[in-house]
Amino acid sequence: MRVARLAQRFPQILDELASGEVHLTGLFLLSRHLTEDNVEQLLAEARGKSKRQLEELIARWSPQPDVPTTLTTMAPEPAQTELPTVSGAGNSVPAPRPSMNRARLEPLSPESVRLELTARTAFRDKLEQARNLLSHEIPSGDLATLLELGLDLLIADAIQRRSGAGKPRKRRETKPGSRHVPVDVQREVRERDADRCTFTDAAGRRCSETRFLTIEHIVPFAKGGPTTVDNCCLLCSAHNSYRARQVFGEEHIQNEIAGARARREAIRTPEVQSASPTPPVPPPAVAAAPEPEVFEKVRSALVLSGFKRAQARQAVEQVRLRGVEPRPEPLLRAAIAALTP
């Protein structure tokens, strides 16, 4: 259901979108479950929640039964290898086609989730081998139990590598000009920040991103900031880019991006590099996605939500000139607020 039509039935959702308490993706998730009887309570519980938290909220409000475990070999398409689809108990699966190769993880109830993915035949063979090797520990051969055990071992190994293995070692001296962050500093920063981006917007909402995190200097390293626990924090790639623009300016960031692009081109064509050598370019301060793509995504989302193309273009241009943070969600909230005064 598009936002424009949904708003006719439940006018209060526009206030939630404009304030940023409920994002557009969340509204689409909730739309099938909103009724005149539950709209106030459901929107109240949905405020400030991420997509995953909203899926869990819906699973609590409308729990679904567990689905059977299946492991299906799909018929290969021409010039393609055989691809199986796999899922675990309490996890699911109708088999997707190879062209629809995105994994899906959906809460069914507070206690169970459905997992659906497409993998290579080698993955299936490894599952069967693990099931045979662990037949005494897991007599049922349940795939969900088997995969969870494997994840436990994988997570433990990753944490050990990140935090440092074995006995504490004397910290090595950091070379002058090095951006290296010692393992003990990394460990304390990640524990303090709970492995989540620390960016907080003007309304006090903290970013919920837990992937593609990097440890960054609060007072930038380029401006003399020390590599200490107090001067380091976790940032996602989008907010690292945003903060770099605030500190160094758009022109500096674009020059860094252009320099990185030139270096990549030189690596691809070494004969050009040897014919006309160029002085080394310092590494980029941050990698950034081109902003025009962000604005185009927001325009498309507004059109899909029921607004006219001209209205969408005007709203996006308005929020761009206001200097709204160049990420889809803040831009979308600001644009909807501009369109629904």
Side-chain angles (χ1 to χ4, degrees):
M1 184 181 294
R2 292 187 174 183
V3 171
R5 293 204 301 269
L6 192 62
Q8 292 177 353
R9 186 180 177 192
F10 306 113
Q12 57 268 59
I13 68 169
L14 292 178
D15 294 332
E16 301 291 342
L17 285 172
S19 67
E21 294 293 345
V22 177
H23 47 77
L24 191 61
T25 301
L27 181 61
F28 288 147
L29 290 173
L30 294 170
S31 61
R32 292 180 298 170
H33 304 275
L34 291 175
T35 67
E36 283 77 3
D37 294 331
N38 69 16
V39 60
E40 296 292 345
Q41 186 177 354
L42 197 53
L43 286 176
E45 290 194 40
R47 290 179 187 134
K49 287 184 168 56
S50 65
K51 178 183 176 182
R52 173 172 291 184
Q53 290 172 325
L54 286 174
E55 289 175 336
E56 292 171 350
L57 171 63
I58 292 170
R60 178 161 53 82
W61 273 71
S62 181
Q64 303 297 316
D66 289 352
V67 293
T69 299
T70 61
L71 181 61
T72 306
T73 299
M74 295 163 44
E77 293 188 347
Q80 290 184 341
T81 56
E82 194 176 38
L83 293 172
T85 297
V86 62
S87 61
N91 302 327
S92 102
V93 346
R97 301 300 299 167
S99 58
M100 300 172 61
N101 200 18
R102 291 189 61 183
R104 182 182 181 191
L105 187 64
E106 176 188 1
L108 294 175
S109 70
E111 295 79 28
S112 63
V113 296
R114 178 173 67 183
L115 170 65
E116 178 181 322
L117 61 88
T118 303
R120 296 180 302 132
T121 52
F123 177 81
R124 179 201 59 193
D125 295 341
K126 291 174 185 177
L127 272 180
E128 294 297 340
Q129 183 180 11
R131 183 186 259 172
N132 294 337
L133 291 170
L134 296 171
S135 57
H136 291 286
E137 292 84 346
I138 310 174
S140 66
D142 178 58
L143 289 181
T145 305
L146 188 68
L147 291 172
E148 186 172 1
L149 176 60
L151 287 173
D152 287 340
L153 296 174
L154 183 64
I155 291 169
D157 178 67
I159 290 175
Q160 186 180 46
R161 284 187 287 106
R162 174 183 287 174
S163 303
K167 297 180 180 179
R169 294 174 294 178
K170 182 179 179 181
R171 181 190 293 185
R172 67 183 182 185
E173 291 295 327
T174 303
K175 296 179 181 179
S178 171
R179 295 178 60 91
H180 172 71
V181 181
V183 170
D184 57 331
V185 173
Q186 294 185 42
R187 180 169 55 246
E188 289 191 50
V189 170
R190 289 184 179 278
E191 289 177 357
R192 182 198 63 203
D193 297 345
D195 281 320
R196 178 181 165 192
C197 178
T198 58
F199 182 87
T200 304
D201 65 14
R205 293 183 291 261
R206 180 177 172 182
C207 176
S208 61
E209 185 60 74
T210 56
R211 301 180 66 217
F212 304 110
L213 302 177
T214 54
I215 295 178
E216 302 296 335
H217 293 72
I218 297 172
V219 176
F221 181 82
K223 295 192 173 185
T227 306
T228 61
V229 173
D230 291 339
N231 191 51
C232 289
C233 66
L234 288 177
L235 288 177
C236 65
S237 57
H239 282 123
N240 183 24
S241 171
Y242 176 62
R243 184 168 289 178
R245 281 179 161 81
Q246 288 183 313
V247 173
F248 297 103
E250 181 65 27
E251 182 178 358
H252 174 83
I253 298 301
Q254 292 303 324
N255 289 339
E256 296 284 7
I257 294 172
R261 187 178 296 118
R263 282 201 312 281
R264 288 196 298 270
E265 290 299 326
I267 292 172
R268 292 194 194 102
T269 56
E271 65 281 359
V272 175
Q273 185 179 28
S274 59
S276 55
T278 56
V281 181
V286 65
E291 287 188 12
E293 292 185 13
V294 175
F295 295 123
E296 182 56 39
K297 286 180 181 178
V298 174
R299 280 191 290 268
S300 298
L302 290 171
V303 172
L304 290 172
S305 300
F307 297 103
K308 295 180 180 179
R309 291 187 181 278
Q311 292 176 312
R313 284 196 300 269
Q314 184 178 4
V316 170
E317 180 63 16
Q318 182 179 341
V319 299
R320 187 186 70 80
L321 294 175
R322 281 166 43 196
V324 175
E325 181 187 352
R327 287 198 310 126
E329 199 164 300
L331 287 170
L332 191 56
R333 287 201 301 264
I336 290 175
L339 288 166
T340 56

